[in-house]
Amino acid sequence: MNAPEDVALAQFRRELEASSSWDGFSCKARVWALQGDVLRRYLCARGGHVAKATAMLVNTVVWRRQTGLTFPITSTKEGGFFCGISPNDLATQIRTGKNYHHGHDQWGRPLTIMRVKRDCDGAHWRDKLRFMVFQMERGRWLARSRAAGTSQTEESDTSRAPASLGGVSWLFDCSGQCIPFVCFMEFTASDRFGYKNIELRLARDLASTLQNHYPEQLGLLLIVHAPWVFRTFWNTIKTFVDPVTVRKVVFAKATTPEELREELSPYVEPGQLESCFGGDDPYEFDPDRYMEELRREEERATRKSGQCIQ
């Protein structure tokens, strides 16, 4: 950070420490909010405006407590992961394989794989929103864990974005029957696309949650096999989207695995890319193994004192 940013960050910290909005909150919630990477993300999201960033962060602390989320201070793979939402409560959605973490991009950010066609489990929109919050929390944990491990085991490389600040990258596979959450229009000209799996209430609340409580967390959004209607929709609305966000959205034109491999390689190394996308990774989502992994993470976290705290 440069000198003006350092001054703004110090002022932001003082504003938060002096804020009367902390009445009724645990000291651990305050410690979480005063972490350097948290402060930087919220300050950046409000364009360096300290008062707005303060209001935004305090609102997030309130929201996390109301939602039952924890306030993690440290993140390590050995410490496990528990955010206040148990994977056992989300087992039906998790087991569909519609959204899972696997691999990382060229900058070390975790990859969240979204298989749109699998989002047909009939879950209520509130349960879907809770599942997406769980995924965001786990993605942040993976990012911070990887950053902590990298800082200890790898030499510094200024060309690589810090995973703790760069957030999580997403790979949207739009092949199949459904359209991604952000496409709010009905399209019935083809059996391949439909409105039945897109709930506007979920899309609205998800967008609001990501914007207000997970600022500066999008690394890249890689979209493959997108229908033309979605491309048209994006081209229409992107003029109203923050230019920084627009630059993070990548539509792959490729249609075959071989073409995808070449087009995605600047963003994801072939060794981190599943073979169905043209990569060298033979990984296939296994619901039993994935659930077991999540349960082990939860068990380690709940055993380790102070790892995840309210």
Side-chain angles (χ1 to χ4, degrees):
M1 298 182 72
N2 56 39
E5 291 173 331
D6 287 336
V7 172
L9 189 63
Q11 182 184 351
F12 186 20
R13 187 185 297 274
R14 289 195 298 271
E15 290 277 348
L16 279 172
E17 290 174 339
S19 176
S20 61
S21 301
W22 292 112
D23 295 344
F25 287 101
S26 68
C27 64
K28 293 175 181 178
R30 297 181 63 175
V31 171
W32 173 85
L34 291 170
Q35 294 177 100
D37 68 319
V38 174
L39 294 175
R40 281 188 287 269
R41 285 193 292 107
Y42 280 79
L43 189 62
C44 182
R46 287 297 176 262
H49 194 290
V50 172
K52 292 180 180 179
T54 300
M56 183 184 188
L57 182 48
V58 170
N59 183 52
T60 289
V61 173
V62 173
W63 172 80
R64 291 185 71 87
R65 186 173 68 171
Q66 292 174 341
T67 308
L69 295 175
T70 59
F71 294 94
I73 305 302
T74 60
S75 297
T76 63
K77 292 290 287 187
E78 294 75 15
F81 167 73
F82 178 68
C83 67
I85 302 175
S86 173
N88 293 320
D89 297 333
L90 303 169
T92 300
Q93 295 190 72
I94 292 171
R95 295 179 69 86
T96 65
K98 65 182 179 181
N99 189 314
Y100 58 92
H101 297 109
H102 183 71
H104 55 81
D105 68 12
Q106 291 276 19
W107 295 270
R109 295 173 295 217
L111 269 179
T112 301
I113 312 298
M114 182 71 181
R115 302 292 190 120
V116 180
K117 65 182 178 182
R118 297 179 182 174
D119 186 25
C120 306
D121 50 47
H124 190 276
W125 70 265
R126 288 192 180 89
D127 295 326
K128 289 186 177 184
L129 180 60
R130 191 165 180 81
F131 171 63
M132 293 302 289
V133 168
F134 174 85
Q135 289 295 82
M136 287 298 301
E137 290 291 312
R138 186 168 184 264
R140 293 206 317 178
W141 171 72
L142 289 171
R144 294 180 58 144
S145 298
R146 180 172 175 79
T150 298
S151 65
Q152 295 173 6
T153 62
E154 298 181 10
E155 293 182 1
S156 175
D157 183 349
T158 56
S159 68
R160 300 180 66 84
S164 60
L165 301 180
V168 180
S169 289
W170 291 67
L171 196 163
F172 264 73
D173 178 8
C174 300
S175 61
Q177 299 178 347
C178 310
I179 305 175
F181 292 119
V182 292
C183 191
F184 302 155
M185 62 183 71
E186 183 173 6
F187 182 71
T188 57
S190 167
D191 290 336
R192 289 178 59 80
F193 312 115
Y195 182 84
K196 63 180 180 180
N197 298 304
I198 306 300
E199 301 179 44
L200 297 184
R201 180 67 181 272
L202 170 63
R204 186 192 68 187
D205 285 9
L206 177 59
S208 175
T209 298
L210 296 180
Q211 177 179 322
N212 294 325
H213 306 305
Y214 295 96
E216 305 299 313
Q217 284 296 288
L218 176 63
L220 291 169
L221 176 57
L222 307 172
I223 304 173
V224 301
H225 304 307
W228 67 265
V229 65
F230 184 44
R231 292 175 181 270
T232 301
F233 178 74
W234 171 248
N235 288 332
T236 300
I237 69 167
K238 70 179 183 180
T239 55
F240 305 102
V241 179
D242 178 44
V244 174
T245 300
V246 171
R247 289 195 293 271
K248 296 178 179 180
V249 178
V250 178
F251 278 90
K253 299 178 182 179
T255 57
T256 67
E258 294 76 15
E259 293 171 338
L260 277 174
R261 176 190 180 95
E262 181 177 356
E263 193 167 356
L264 296 178
S265 60
Y267 311 104
V268 183
E269 294 178 0
Q272 294 293 321
L273 192 63
E274 294 177 41
S275 57
C276 60
F277 302 120
D280 298 330
D281 189 345
Y283 177 83
E284 292 186 9
F285 179 83
D286 182 314
D288 293 328
R289 293 180 62 181
Y290 197 76
M291 278 298 302
E292 181 59 29
E293 179 183 354
L294 296 179
R295 287 170 176 147
R296 286 199 302 266
E297 291 172 358
E298 180 181 46
E299 183 180 353
R300 289 199 305 271
T302 52
R303 282 204 314 257
K304 188 175 178 64
S305 175
Q307 173 63 29
C308 290
I309 47 183
Q310 293 283 358

